[in-house]
Amino acid sequence: MPTTPPDATLTCTDALLNSSTASSYARSVGRVVDDVAARLAAVEQPWSGASRTELAALVEGVDLDAPIGTDSALRETADLYATHAVWFHDPAYAAHLNCPVAIPAVGAEAMLAAINTSVDTYDQSTVATLMERRLVGWTTERIGFTGGDGVFTSGGTQSNLHALLAARESALTGPDGTRLRGVARHGLQERLRILTTSSSHFSVAKSAMILGLSDDAVVTVGADADGRMDPGALAEALATTARVGDVVMAVVATAGTTDRGCIDPIATIADLCDATDAWLHVDAAYGGGLLVSAARRHCLDGIERARSVTVDFHKTFFQPVSASAVLVRDPADLSRTAWHADYLNPVPEAGAADVEINQVDRSLQTTRRFDALKLWATLRAVGADGIGEMVDAVCDLAAAVHADLRDDPELHLVGRTDLSTVLFRYQPAGVTDAQADALVARVRRVLFDSGRASVARTVVEGRPCLKLTLLNPEVTLDDVRHVLGLVRGAAHGILAGQALADDHVPPCRDVHPHLDRYDTTEAAR
């Protein structure tokens, strides 16, 4: 990578944002914005397709100990990062739960990055704390909690961990309301169980490990053919847990499974949890956007009866990473995990008339970005109904793709979805299950390596399949058809390459016109 001569006049303090450098800040950031805008407009595929070897050489070729000045550094960084970034707004990106982001949120991101507020204590944040508290209240109202509470987090994994920590502390509270300690605490913790389906997010099992629960703490509950929790299986699991002397720490229902985008029957699950006094946590990291959907809000019926809820605003609210929240019905549940330090958030004095709002009391983090500002700006710009329309658009698109593929002779749907996921396999007549299995990873790799499209893969009921996660409300059915055409082309090419190899004929390049960079010999390896 070419180097730019360093700016000899730049000093360390010149690089800091303050009153005297405000004009430099405006100029430098303005150039970055102009550059990114030009790149956004010019994007023609999800990413460059550069090999890992090429990217590693570019990264290692930068001398991090040789400063070149702010403007040169930003140009060099853009040439490295932005040139080879994955662009989630491109219609051919359909892999993971990544969304294009709302412009007002990006503007708010620039604002909060420059001001650099930390919302752990009120004296570091003032109005930012009040704005976040207002958004927490707005979200709990949307859920249906009366007087609920919550806090913004880095993502669904942290939100789920926090909810399950609160559930554990509730389970380890004695009849007199005090926390169990010593032998009694350890003995009970060994018997705590989390009931959930195999389709729940991996962070549930990871949280159990972090929380020090036993290796068999996560109990898998049976599900229907599409991965939704079976209430009958849950009732049996609840009864079995009690019968063997274990304790249900939490039941985790999923509102939008990662693989299938399916929603557990929350209201029926809530009935069972109420009957057994079990903590119900609803992981709505994916499906939380339905809270503002005019057409699909009913899919979350019963969520108001949960003890805790996870919502990822950086998924179906179209916010930049990171923006998530853990919400609880009873504010006392968050106070179970509070920790106090004299230098930061001392325990309020008894009878104090004015208690500072220190959100570190609620959070697992200490220093914490003001990520709520992005959602605030987006709501003020387009409103909750505007976000809901975008959520409905991606769900409608997924439904249209399902209808389009229903009788397709080559691409076969795998299950249904409640949100915006499409699972499918390439298996035309004459292709065996084993061949179709092997095609999944190869097709995905060919598309990714070419840079032309990005699709995901997963395993459903023991069989690999390809996955489209549609989170771009600007994408059309024709855009998705184009991606599926690339899938077909890659699969055709791989199968042709295998046939040629079997006949010991040197394979040709450019097997399919949509994949001019495709080499059958590489794909067949």
Side-chain angles (χ1 to χ4, degrees):
M1 180 178 295
T3 59
T4 304
D7 181 353
T9 64
L10 185 72
T11 67
C12 291
T13 54
D14 288 332
L16 295 179
L17 178 55
N18 53 44
S19 299
S20 64
T21 58
S23 59
S24 297
Y25 154 75
R27 183 180 66 252
S28 295
V29 174
R31 288 172 177 167
V32 170
V33 170
D34 289 344
D35 178 71
V36 172
R39 292 174 186 271
L40 277 163
V43 164
E44 294 182 344
Q45 59 186 48
W47 85 291
S48 69
S51 71
R52 188 180 303 179
T53 300
E54 293 170 329
L55 295 180
L58 292 175
V59 171
E60 294 301 320
V62 176
D63 185 353
L64 296 176
D65 294 314
I68 57 176
T70 298
D71 290 341
S72 296
L74 289 172
R75 283 195 299 271
E76 179 189 81
T77 300
D79 288 341
L80 177 59
Y81 166 57
T83 298
H84 301 290
V86 178
W87 298 95
F88 301 142
H89 75 284
D90 187 89
Y93 181 86
H96 302 287
L97 283 164
N98 307 114
C99 59
V101 292
I103 293 173
V106 177
E109 182 81 52
M111 193 186 308
L112 70 91
I115 298 173
N116 201 32
T117 294
S118 179
V119 285
D120 46 336
T121 61
Y122 181 78
D123 64 349
Q124 299 175 69
S125 57
T126 59
V127 71
T129 282
L130 302 181
M131 293 170 77
E132 180 174 323
R133 300 307 308 147
R134 176 76 184 279
L135 280 173
V136 165
W138 178 86
T139 309
T140 57
E141 288 173 7
R142 287 277 173 171
I143 291 171
F145 291 163
T146 301
D149 201 355
V151 70
F152 273 63
T153 73
S154 63
T157 294
Q158 186 185 343
S159 292
N160 285 341
L161 172 63
H162 198 153
L164 292 174
L165 171 61
R168 186 194 71 178
E169 293 308 297
S170 175
L172 296 177
T173 298
D176 60 353
T178 60
R179 297 173 67 204
L180 296 178
R181 299 187 181 277
V183 175
R185 180 182 177 89
H186 177 74
L188 180 54
Q189 181 161 308
E190 285 294 303
R191 295 188 289 117
L192 296 181
R193 299 292 179 263
I194 300 170
L195 309 186
T196 191
T197 68
S198 60
S199 297
S200 66
H201 195 257
F202 80 94
S203 61
V204 174
K206 187 174 183 179
S207 295
M209 178 192 69
I210 293 171
L211 295 173
L213 305 184
S214 63
D215 292 342
D216 57 351
V218 179
V219 177
T220 301
V221 176
D224 67 14
D226 291 305
R228 300 179 188 86
M229 185 180 289
D230 176 5
L234 175 61
E236 182 178 347
L238 288 165
T240 299
T241 302
R243 185 171 60 252
V244 300
D246 291 332
V247 176
V248 177
M249 185 186 99
V251 173
V252 178
T254 308
T257 54
T258 304
D259 274 345
R260 305 188 191 210
C262 288
I263 298 173
D264 289 338
I266 301 172
T268 307
I269 293 170
D271 288 340
L272 294 168
C273 290
D274 287 348
T276 55
D277 196 26
W279 180 298
L280 171 59
H281 174 64
V282 176
D283 178 4
Y286 182 5
L290 299 188
L291 291 171
V292 292
S293 162
R296 295 175 173 84
R297 174 59 179 83
H298 66 277
C299 295
L300 298 181
D301 284 353
I303 195 171
E304 72 281 354
R305 297 166 63 189
R307 286 280 291 271
S308 56
V309 174
T310 287
V311 175
D312 271 8
F313 300 109
H314 56 231
K315 290 186 173 72
T316 43
F317 281 77
F318 308 98
Q319 298 299 291
V321 172
S322 58
S324 178
V326 57
L327 299 314
V328 294
R329 187 175 61 193
D330 182 354
D333 286 332
L334 279 189
S335 67
R336 298 178 191 278
T337 64
W339 205 266
H340 295 275
D342 289 339
Y343 59 84
L344 187 70
N345 60 327
V347 177
E349 295 181 6
D354 185 20
V355 178
E356 284 194 349
I357 308 169
N358 293 323
Q359 294 198 100
V360 71
D361 297 352
R362 299 171 172 83
S363 179
L364 297 183
Q365 297 172 255
T366 303
T367 301
R368 191 164 54 84
R369 300 176 83 243
F370 181 29
D371 287 315
L373 185 67
K374 298 176 288 191
L375 179 60
W376 182 283
T378 304
L379 286 173
R380 295 300 298 133
V382 303
D385 290 344
I387 297 173
E389 289 172 6
M390 293 191 286
V391 174
D392 285 332
V394 296
C395 294
D396 289 343
L397 176 62
V401 175
H402 275 253
D404 210 42
L405 293 181
R406 190 162 292 130
D407 299 316
D408 193 281
E410 295 184 322
L411 301 177
H412 301 286
L413 290 169
V414 179
R416 299 173 294 168
T417 185
D418 296 320
L419 293 172
S420 61
T421 303
V422 180
L423 296 176
F424 64 98
R425 284 163 58 86
Y426 176 85
Q427 191 170 3
V431 173
T432 66
D433 285 346
Q435 288 175 312
D437 289 349
L439 280 172
V440 169
R442 292 178 178 180
V443 166
R444 177 184 177 276
R445 187 56 182 261
V446 166
L447 296 182
F448 182 78
D449 285 352
S450 74
R452 300 296 183 83
S454 185
V455 301
R457 62 171 175 165
T458 189
V459 176
V460 174
E461 296 179 357
R463 301 223 80 100
C465 60
L466 292 166
K467 178 172 74 168
L468 305 181
T469 308
L470 305 174
L471 276 186
N472 186 343
E474 295 297 318
V475 167
T476 67
L477 181 58
D478 282 342
D479 291 328
V480 179
R481 286 170 174 163
H482 172 70
V483 173
L484 295 175
L486 295 177
V487 169
R488 297 177 202 271
H492 292 166
I494 292 168
L495 292 174
Q498 289 174 338
L500 289 170
D502 291 342
D503 292 337
H504 305 290
V505 177
C508 64
R509 300 179 66 87
D510 198 12
V511 171
H512 193 275
H514 292 301
L515 292 168
D516 55 1
R517 297 176 59 181
Y518 176 67
D519 186 333
T520 56
T521 57
E522 178 64 26
R525 289 187 187 129

